[in-house]
Amino acid sequence: MSEEQIRNLETQFEERIARDEKIEPKDWMPEKYRKTHIRQISQHAHSEVVGMLPEGNWITRAPSLRRKVALLAKVQDEAGHGLYLYSACETLGISRDELYEQLHSGKAKYSSIFNYPTVTWADMGAIGWLVDGAAIINQVPLCNTSFGPYARAMVRVCKEESFHQRQGYEIMIKLMNGTQEQKDMAQDALNRWWWPSLMMLGPTDAESVHTEQSMKWKLKRKSNDDLRQQFIDQTVPQAELIGLVIPDPDLKWNEERGSYDFGEINWDEFWQVVKGHGPMNKERMKARVGAWEGGEWVRDAAMAYSEKQQERKEKQSASLKKEVS
Ligand code: BYC
């Protein structure tokens, strides 16, 4: 293709984005658009799948049958989100095996938030309330993202995230209506998950290398700092309502801005976690790689079965043809 032809295609592409048209997998797209979508969608898929581990840790220890059923359903939803997202990503011309390889080799990132341990039952409340709460704020704008398969996957993901957020907040409400020990457990979980939840929404806009281009392509619809502010403004009243204290001495309502001012985020901690040095990075990868290796016989058996079915079909159609002739 000549340079002029490519320039024309690029112009048409930008015009489609400006008209808010969805870009579909078979449409022409700039290589960088394709690559940055593979990066973000696959990181999102990996986050869902790795994100099953901290909560999976509590399924057998949920305090009642009702809690167990809800937690199981939530973790299963996360597996489903991973599947929609891997499928959306594959439409961009990358295989599932390549995506897994990138995760297992450490080449692809997944959300920093899942590298923290879940040490008490209250952590199930804090994750649902805060982590899924932050995820909703981040993902609702993505329902309107420019790449069709990603936008459509996000619609269902967001509906399910809202159930997750409510089940988490309900655990916190229950604990805050309980004994002093239960209240302390809830406050301790908030103390540990608050700052990592703010970090989860990504580096500051000044440090965010991808935001500018991703906003132009309508892959991202809101900046990291705007989403973080929205999350804080939404969550602080929820904490106050049930008697929890946000662990930030600098948190203060700013009348002029109509938003909360908040304290300094420890960005060194964030980058350490992103680079693989968080409290649980090694365990998380060990669990994922172990699941991949341990599942090899299942994949082999499924392949052998489908080859056998194919052979059977071919034989049947050959004998049918013979009969007809
Ligand atoms: N953790 O330029 P930036 C869930 C990386 S799943 C690790 O701002 P971008 C759930 C970033 O990748 C939630 N790395 O990037 C599941 C980039 O590095 P690379 C997951 C992070 O893409 C189970 C560099 O830092 N949600 O909710 O414009 C149970 C510079 O950042 C993080 C999604 O994935 C991080 N937190 O913006 C419960 C949503 N933040 O790639 C809940 C979709 C940044 O150049 N993703 N980095 O090596 C997004 O919206 C965006 O990708 C982000 C980052 C806002 C996360």
Side-chain angles (χ1 to χ4, degrees):
M1 215 182 288
S2 73
E3 272 182 30
E4 199 192 332
Q5 280 171 318
I6 293 180
R7 264 200 306 277
N8 281 343
L9 284 170
E10 275 172 356
T11 309
Q12 282 167 24
F13 178 84
E14 303 295 347
E15 285 167 0
R16 291 188 65 194
I17 297 272
R19 287 196 298 269
D20 268 334
E21 268 178 43
K22 291 278 174 264
I23 307 299
E24 296 299 337
K26 288 187 177 155
D27 297 346
W28 186 89
M29 61 183 81
E31 192 50 20
K32 276 194 180 159
Y33 178 93
R34 194 179 73 84
K35 286 221 167 97
T36 204
H37 272 78
I38 291 178
R39 180 188 63 78
Q40 180 167 318
I41 301 172
S42 67
Q43 287 179 5
H44 195 164
H46 299 326
S47 304
E48 295 286 353
V49 170
V50 177
M52 295 163 73
L53 297 168
E55 292 171 301
N57 181 34
W58 278 89
I59 291 172
T60 54
R61 290 176 289 158
S64 68
L65 182 60
R66 177 173 172 264
R67 294 285 177 208
K68 191 187 292 243
V69 169
L71 189 59
L72 251 179
K74 177 182 193 293
V75 173
Q76 281 175 348
D77 283 352
E78 282 148 11
H81 299 174
L83 288 178
Y84 317 146
L85 289 163
Y86 281 129
S87 304
C89 201
E90 282 175 286
T91 67
L92 289 158
I94 186 162
S95 71
R96 187 81 60 100
D97 282 356
E98 282 173 275
L99 293 169
Y100 286 151
E101 196 282 322
Q102 290 178 356
L103 173 67
H104 297 157
S105 66
K107 207 170 132 204
K109 294 189 169 75
Y110 60 89
S111 183
S112 50
I113 193 76
F114 302 116
N115 293 304
Y116 291 85
T118 43
V119 294
T120 70
W121 170 252
D123 289 8
M124 297 306 96
I127 290 182
W129 173 39
L130 302 174
V131 177
D132 288 270
I136 296 172
I137 285 183
N138 167 261
Q139 289 168 15
V140 166
L142 292 177
C143 296
N144 209 10
T145 190
S146 62
F147 185 55
Y150 192 28
R152 289 190 288 273
M154 276 303 111
V155 173
R156 177 151 174 194
V157 169
C158 285
K159 283 186 186 156
E160 291 173 351
E161 297 291 17
S162 113
F163 149 67
H164 297 172
Q165 196 269 354
R166 271 178 270 164
Q167 75 89 40
Y169 191 51
E170 201 228 345
I171 292 174
M172 295 310 249
I173 294 173
K174 195 85 182 170
L175 290 172
M176 290 308 288
N177 282 313
T179 62
Q180 189 56 45
E181 205 182 346
Q182 286 170 317
K183 289 181 186 169
D184 293 346
M185 208 193 336
Q187 182 63 53
D188 169 64
L190 171 60
N191 294 348
R192 285 180 292 105
W193 289 93
W194 175 251
W195 292 102
S197 299
L198 300 190
M199 295 174 198
M200 176 189 166
L201 293 157
T204 59
D205 292 353
E207 294 283 315
S208 167
V209 286
H210 300 296
T211 295
E212 195 187 342
Q213 184 59 66
S214 292
M215 296 276 265
K216 278 189 193 149
W217 276 331
K218 297 184 180 168
L219 162 56
K220 275 173 100 161
R221 309 295 309 228
K222 285 188 175 182
S223 79
N224 301 357
D225 284 338
D226 285 350
L227 294 171
R228 195 166 8 251
Q229 185 71 61
Q230 196 183 329
F231 172 69
I232 293 169
D233 292 346
Q234 173 185 297
T235 312
V236 172
Q238 294 171 352
E240 283 171 355
L241 186 71
I242 59 174
L244 283 163
V245 181
I246 301 285
D248 177 358
D250 296 323
L251 188 80
K252 205 166 158 248
W253 179 252
N254 183 324
E255 199 63 55
E256 222 171 279
R257 289 198 308 120
S259 264
Y260 282 93
D261 291 335
F262 54 95
E264 192 67 33
I265 293 173
N266 182 348
W267 291 112
D268 282 346
E269 175 183 321
F270 171 74
W271 290 115
Q272 282 299 319
V273 175
V274 170
K275 284 180 192 150
H277 311 302
M280 297 297 281
N281 293 62
K282 287 200 177 65
E283 283 79 353
R284 299 293 184 236
M285 267 314 95
K286 199 168 154 224
R288 286 314 315 157
V289 172
W292 175 252
E293 287 171 354
E296 191 175 359
W297 70 272
V298 180
R299 295 191 296 279
D300 289 348
M303 285 306 287
Y305 179 73
S306 99
E307 277 160 23
K308 213 162 91 183
Q309 292 293 91
Q310 188 61 29
E311 267 170 38
R312 199 170 286 165
K313 259 193 212 149
E314 279 164 16
K315 264 190 205 154
Q316 270 173 354
S317 74
S319 71
L320 250 169
K321 268 187 201 155
K322 223 170 165 188
E323 270 175 38
V324 172
S325 65

